[in-house]
Amino acid sequence: MNRSFLVMTTIVASLGGFLFGFDMAVVSGILPFVREQFGLNALQEGWFVSSALAGCILGVIISSDLSDRLGRKKLLFIAAFLFLLAAIGCALFADLAWLITARILGGVAVGIASTVVPLYLSEIAPDDKRGRLVTYYQLAVTIGILVAYLSNAMLLNYALANAGKSTNWLFVKEVWRGMFGVGVIPAVLFLAGLTQVPESPRWLMREKQTTGSYKELFAPEIKRAMLIGILLPLFSQFSGINAIIYYGPSILHDAGITLSNSFISQIIFGAANVFFTIFAIWKVDSLGRRPLYLWGTAGAAVSLALTGICFFTGATGLPLLLCVMLFLAFFAFSIGPLKFVIAAEIFPDHIRARALSVSIMVMWLADTLVGQITPILLHELGTAQTFWFFAAFCVLAFITVYKLLPETKGQSFEEIQRTMRHI
């Protein structure tokens, strides 16, 4: 590919990451409205939120086999179509059961995108730009999260300003439907863009070869690669990022940092995540994966420890905010994007899709677990001890990468396979 065509292809594929981030974040501003309108009890509210995760797990399960059989591009088409159906359904369905069905469809799309987009980007990338191209996916996810927060805030302000002045159903009376409906725009762009991009050349090269079985994932020659592919997404979710993203606004509020509302605090965190992910794009193919990951996990451990000390000593306000932002910086240029970059390049061609789907499945299961235990940790251990708990996992991640991960920057897939087999 020439440079301009490669850029266009990367942007189109990364729209899958954008929709992934948007779909998972937009519900944060929607939930209070849906809870009130449908009179949801605790069980129904939990199912409304977790239904997307159930769809996501289904999407990951089906993506590995179908992307090998049908090709990466066709799976991206399916994901884009499901994103579009989900956005329309969530905006228009009046019945709660159908609304949840649309949420499940959106979750399936997220599951497919979270597996196939980094897989596709790694396979179209030149060896010396592979880290950068796959990191664009993570950047797109963070931009999608930020756009969801911004569009939610803008639509809410519009609805409040026009309450009693307009009977607009989609953007005033039931503004949450408009929040969902915004997702139609990137979904249409994703569908249209996919008509202009090529199939993965790696998939075309091995199209007539036998696809590897899940049994091969346990073969001795890829044991190290499989261990890395499982542990990095696990550590990513246990790094403390969920405590910041999900509970950050309430934690900061409890610490005495007054923000006008939760939307503003989410926007601040989202913008910081985008900004520092750009640093990873800049340096991942020059400094390399290993140094970035080691510096990032070490810095994340220290910043989380300092955050815990702030809570323990009562040093809130600006010191606490700086510690949280420091953690976001270290996470965004290392732990966040590099799990996708590394998992997408360390496996052989014939089992790459299956191995990557296992890696992504671990990420989603760990995400679910951390979401469940974080409020328990905050309540039972205390805020300071919770952050120290996550800091310990960052230390484990540092040790794991130091002992197991070789440098892979600038290497072909074949060179990486030889390196992984002989260390």
Side-chain angles (χ1 to χ4, degrees), residues 10-186:
T10 302
I11 291 173
V12 170
S14 295
L15 281 170
F18 177 94
L19 282 158
F20 165 13
F22 182 91
D23 192 81
M24 299 306 289
V26 73
V27 74
S28 63
I30 286 167
L31 185 58
F33 298 102
V34 173
R35 183 196 304 126
E36 180 179 356
Q37 180 164 330
F38 291 97
L40 303 183
N41 57 37
L43 182 62
Q44 290 171 320
E45 182 179 337
W47 174 230
F48 176 78
V49 174
S50 61
S51 58
L53 182 61
C56 180
I57 292 173
L58 177 61
V60 172
I61 291 172
I62 67 175
S63 62
S64 62
D65 183 58
L66 289 181
S67 67
D68 276 340
R69 288 168 51 194
L70 304 178
R72 318 314 192 202
K73 182 176 174 178
K74 288 180 180 177
L75 258 291
L76 293 178
F77 261 116
I78 292 172
F81 184 65
L82 291 177
F83 275 125
L84 180 60
L85 286 182
I88 294 172
C90 288
L92 300 181
F93 285 145
D95 184 75
L96 179 61
W98 281 105
L99 181 62
I100 289 177
T101 300
R103 287 276 295 152
I104 293 174
L105 287 179
V108 173
V110 167
I112 294 173
S114 65
T115 302
V116 181
V117 173
L119 176 65
Y120 176 79
L121 288 173
S122 73
E123 292 182 343
I124 68 166
D127 295 337
D128 62 340
K129 295 181 174 64
R130 188 170 54 246
R132 180 177 300 177
L133 261 64
V134 178
T135 305
Y136 275 120
Y137 164 73
Q138 176 68 16
L139 177 65
V141 173
T142 64
I143 293 174
I145 292 170
L146 178 59
V147 169
Y149 293 155
L150 288 169
S151 64
N152 280 356
M154 292 171 62
L155 289 174
L156 179 61
N157 288 335
Y158 177 83
L160 292 174
N162 290 275
K165 302 177 185 177
S166 171
T167 58
N168 185 303
W169 172 61
L170 196 60
F171 295 108
V172 177
K173 293 185 67 177
E174 296 184 18
V175 65
W176 61 270
R177 295 187 181 276
M179 294 175 179
F180 270 131
V182 170
V184 169
I185 299 172

Side-chain angles (χ1 to χ4, degrees), residues 231 235 297 301 390-402:
L231 289 178
F235 289 142
T297 49
F390 291 127
F393 273 94
C394 291
V395 173
L396 288 176
F398 177 93
I399 295 171
T400 298
V401 169
Y402 183 80

Side-chain angles (χ1 to χ4, degrees), residues 165-236:
K165 302 177 185 177
S166 171
T167 58
N168 185 303
W169 172 61
L170 196 60
F171 295 108
V172 177
K173 293 185 67 177
E174 296 184 18
V175 65
W176 61 270
R177 295 187 181 276
M179 294 175 179
F180 270 131
V182 170
V184 169
I185 299 172
V188 170
L189 292 175
F190 191 25
L191 272 172
L194 284 171
T195 63
Q196 306 300 314
V197 303
E199 178 54 87
S200 158
R202 282 275 169 176
W203 182 80
L204 292 172
M205 286 172 60
R206 56 156 297 276
E207 189 174 358
K208 295 181 180 180
Q209 297 175 5
T210 303
T211 299
S213 66
Y214 282 105
K215 184 179 180 180
E216 289 188 56
L217 299 181
F218 302 97
E221 60 268 22
I222 65 165
K223 179 174 64 175
R224 179 185 292 261
M226 201 68 239
L227 190 60
I228 293 170
I230 289 173
L231 289 178
L232 293 195
L234 180 71
F235 289 142
S236 172

